[in-house]
Amino acid sequence: MRTKRFRKLIVVQPGRIDRDRVVVSVSDAAEVLLRDWPTPASKTRLAAIEACLAVIRGEKPPRVARQAFIVAAKDARILLGEQI
């Protein structure tokens, strides 16, 4: 599977303060959503997972997953920065 890269990176802090995570692709976003997310029952997290799956299946462009990930990260209060 070819990695679906984002045009601009996202920085989140899903865990410890000294462990920032740079997200540059749909696979990176999916990994954070599935393994490291601090609020597992969040509706925005589930929407971001669904968006990542749609991109992986080729149904949507990567920007859809990126935007859903940003919304979920803001909701979980783990977004440190994004390049616009």
Side-chain angles (χ1 to χ4, degrees):
M1 176 184 85
R2 199 175 124 238
T3 301
K4 313 275 188 192
R5 295 188 62 86
F6 297 145
R7 289 185 185 266
K8 298 178 180 175
L9 63 85
I10 305 163
V11 181
V12 293
Q13 191 177 75
R16 293 178 22 192
I17 288 176
D18 62 342
R19 304 274 177 157
D20 297 352
R21 183 80 188 265
V22 177
V23 178
V24 297
S25 68
V26 175
S27 60
D28 287 349
E31 184 176 332
V32 172
L33 287 161
L34 295 172
R35 291 187 183 173
D36 302 324
W37 209 254
T39 53
S42 164
K43 289 181 184 180
T44 56
R45 174 184 172 259
L46 295 176
I49 291 170
E50 289 175 10
C52 287
L53 287 173
V55 173
I56 290 167
R57 289 191 299 253
E59 299 169 358
K60 304 272 183 183
R63 64 181 159 75
V64 172
R66 182 180 186 277
Q67 187 57 41
F69 184 83
I70 290 169
V71 168
K74 285 179 181 176
D75 183 53
R77 297 180 182 183
I78 64 168
L79 182 67
L80 294 180
E82 63 174 296
Q83 290 184 349
I84 299 173

